[in-house]
Amino acid sequence: MTDATASKELIITRTFDAPRELVYRAFTDPDQIVQWFGPVGFSVPRDTVEIDARVGGHQRLTMVSDDDPNMTSPVDATFTEVIENELLVGTEEWEGIPGQQEGGSMYMRIEFHDEGGKTRLVLRQGLYTEEVADMAREGWESSFTKLDTLLVD
């Protein structure tokens, strides 16, 4: 993928009906992330998850298709900025993403804003091609629907 085609930043804003400490923990606690991460139709086996939420720490996990366990999507990210309950910033190496050059990387910034007992989350990720940005948006929205359910329980 060339720089000319990788020009789309994905931005998603979503409000969760839970305090930001709980939403932040859902992103940094391995036992919680396996319950919601990945679009519907994908699972994250607990034994694939490692999270060390500090500058220089990492997030590693593997999404696995429920229909075809041979279809996997690993996540290998390094945190470059962490403010507990407020901010997670990092870079992610990818492989096996259709339309993306193998061995590439992208950035991600997740902000957690207090909205009177609720949490406004702002996610920025990219850069993507238009097609891949649309797929990533669908994946995040599906994941966030699962996160809504986890936060209510």
Side-chain angles (χ1 to χ4, degrees), residues 23-153:
V23 179
Y24 179 87
R25 192 171 336 140
F27 277 80
T28 58
D29 177 357
D31 292 327
Q32 289 188 49
I33 208 163
V34 299
Q35 296 178 59
W36 69 269
F37 194 88
V40 171
F42 282 80
S43 302
V44 176
R46 177 61 181 88
D47 65 347
T48 70
V49 180
E50 295 177 29
I51 300 175
D52 180 7
R54 62 180 174 84
V55 173
H58 60 267
Q59 177 192 57
R60 295 186 187 113
L61 57 87
T62 301
M63 292 184 291
V64 179
S65 169
D66 296 338
D67 293 333
D68 179 4
N70 292 319
M71 187 167 138
T72 63
S73 181
V75 172
D76 185 1
T78 301
F79 293 110
T80 57
E81 189 175 352
V82 175
I83 302 172
E84 187 173 4
N85 301 322
E86 293 182 24
L87 182 66
L88 294 169
V89 179
T91 58
E92 180 181 337
E93 304 299 318
W94 68 60
E95 60 182 76
I97 299 177
Q100 299 286 74
Q101 179 180 344
E102 287 300 314
S105 66
M106 67 181 148
Y107 70 90
M108 182 166 358
R109 178 183 179 90
I110 305 171
E111 302 170 10
F112 303 84
H113 300 276
D114 182 25
E115 296 285 328
K118 296 183 179 184
T119 303
R120 180 173 46 89
L121 182 138
V122 179
L123 179 145
R124 295 175 179 270
Q125 188 178 40
L127 293 171
Y128 288 118
T129 62
E130 187 78 33
E131 176 185 356
V132 175
D134 290 343
M135 290 185 334
R137 177 178 302 281
E138 288 177 26
W140 278 113
E141 293 293 348
S142 181
S143 292
F144 288 162
T145 298
K146 294 183 337 187
L147 179 54
D148 279 330
T149 302
L150 173 65
L151 292 169
V152 170
D153 293 341

